[in-house]
Amino acid sequence: AQSVTQLDSHVSVSEGTPVLLRCNYSSSYSPSLFWYVQHPNKGLQLLLKYTSAATLVKGINGFEAEFKKSETSFHLTKPSAHMSDAAEYFCVVSEDTGGFKTIFGAGTRLFVKA
Amino acid sequence: NAGVMQNPRHLVRRRGQEARLRCSPMKGHSHVYWYRQLPEEGLKFMVYLQKENIIDESGMPKERFSAEFPKEGPSILRIQQVVRGDSAAYFCASSPELSQPQHFGDGTRLSIL
């Protein structure tokens, strides 16, 4: 069965400090994994994707994520938070099983304090 | 290059009316996906379409909901006889191929009075 768990519903950091948003997944196949960001009243914007190439994936706006198969994790990190990073972040797993399955995590809301 | 265009951005309907949500995918994208987002929740997959074909509608309610992606024109998500529980944000996404990342529109926020 396919599932995605974002371990924190809310994360609060100070500007300039590191960001860690955690995501665990389960998949019966070799999945593709994504992180998306959603700003208020907007659609989702792709931050980065993992598709079985390098396990450390670099994305836009200084974000990166590391795929750890042994831990079934795909945590999102950024060395230094910026005020503009405050948004909702979604971890997504996608499988092509002859049909199509994409599962979104419940989301993590990131707050950035000045 | 225009992104995924959804309209209207906001739609208000009374219970029992019909709601039609439109989505124009990015140029060159033949795969379209519809999602529903309830307040404080993630996106729930509804349906996946290619031109003129529904590929996977496993996330769509069996009654009152339908989707199409005609050869010409936008994809349409249609909700008949709307109820209060249909109030949500509906997002459309498109991709050039199934395995490629999806590009999202800004959504249609449906409110049922």
Side-chain angles (χ1 to χ4, degrees):
Chain A
Q2 183 188 27
S3 68
V4 178
T5 303
Q6 291 184 241
L7 298 166
D8 307 290
S9 60
H10 299 85
V11 169
S12 182
V13 301
S14 297
E15 191 174 22
T17 63
V19 176
L20 170 63
L21 305 182
R22 298 182 294 167
C23 173
N24 286 106
Y25 72 94
S26 68
S27 174
S28 303
Y29 301 84
S30 295
S32 296
L33 296 163
F34 308 84
W35 276 98
Y36 284 86
V37 60
Q38 184 181 30
H39 291 275
N41 297 317
K42 288 289 190 180
L44 278 69
Q45 180 186 16
L46 178 68
L47 281 178
L48 49 81
K49 64 175 180 177
Y50 166 78
T51 53
S52 74
T55 56
L56 182 63
V57 182
K58 294 188 184 297
I60 63 172
N61 301 337
F63 285 93
E64 61 182 37
E66 186 172 7
F67 173 70
K68 291 187 177 180
K69 189 174 182 178
S70 60
E71 300 176 9
T72 61
S73 69
F74 190 56
H75 301 334
L76 181 70
T77 60
K78 182 173 181 177
S80 176
H82 192 272
M83 296 296 288
S84 61
D85 295 327
E88 186 96 20
Y89 291 80
F90 293 97
C91 181
V92 181
V93 60
S94 182
E95 296 178 342
D96 180 5
T97 60
F100 169 74
K101 291 296 178 195
T102 290
I103 303 294
F104 281 73
T108 298
R109 186 168 295 279
L110 176 65
F111 297 93
V112 182
K113 299 174 289 187
Chain B
N1 283 334
V4 177
M5 304 300 292
Q6 288 188 249
N7 67 82
R9 289 295 310 277
H10 301 273
L11 182 61
V12 180
R13 285 287 178 267
R14 297 188 181 279
R15 282 178 293 174
Q17 291 184 321
E18 177 180 288
R20 279 180 174 248
L21 288 63
R22 288 177 290 278
C23 169
S24 297
M26 284 184 70
K27 188 176 181 181
H29 289 194
S30 59
H31 300 249
V32 167
Y33 318 83
W34 284 94
Y35 297 87
R36 177 164 62 179
Q37 184 179 35
L38 296 170
E40 304 299 318
E41 293 187 15
L43 275 70
K44 296 289 191 289
F45 167 76
M46 298 182 74
V47 61
Y48 158 47
L49 310 100
Q50 284 185 271
K51 278 291 186 181
E52 301 184 272
N53 292 307
I54 295 175
I55 307 301
D56 186 332
E57 56 182 348
S58 58
M60 201 152 69
K62 294 289 187 287
E63 296 179 354
R64 302 188 298 109
F65 285 73
S66 63
E68 63 178 16
F69 188 17
K71 188 176 181 180
E72 301 291 336
S75 175
I76 306 288
L77 179 68
R78 182 180 175 208
I79 311 173
Q80 295 178 288
Q81 299 175 319
V82 296
V83 301
R84 287 251 170 88
D86 297 333
S87 295
Y90 292 82
F91 288 93
C92 171
S94 72
S95 67
E97 297 291 340
L98 178 61
S99 60
Q100 294 298 309
Q102 298 170 26
H103 297 258
F104 282 80
D106 285 342
T108 293
R109 277 143 188 88
L110 176 64
S111 298
I112 309 302
L113 301 179

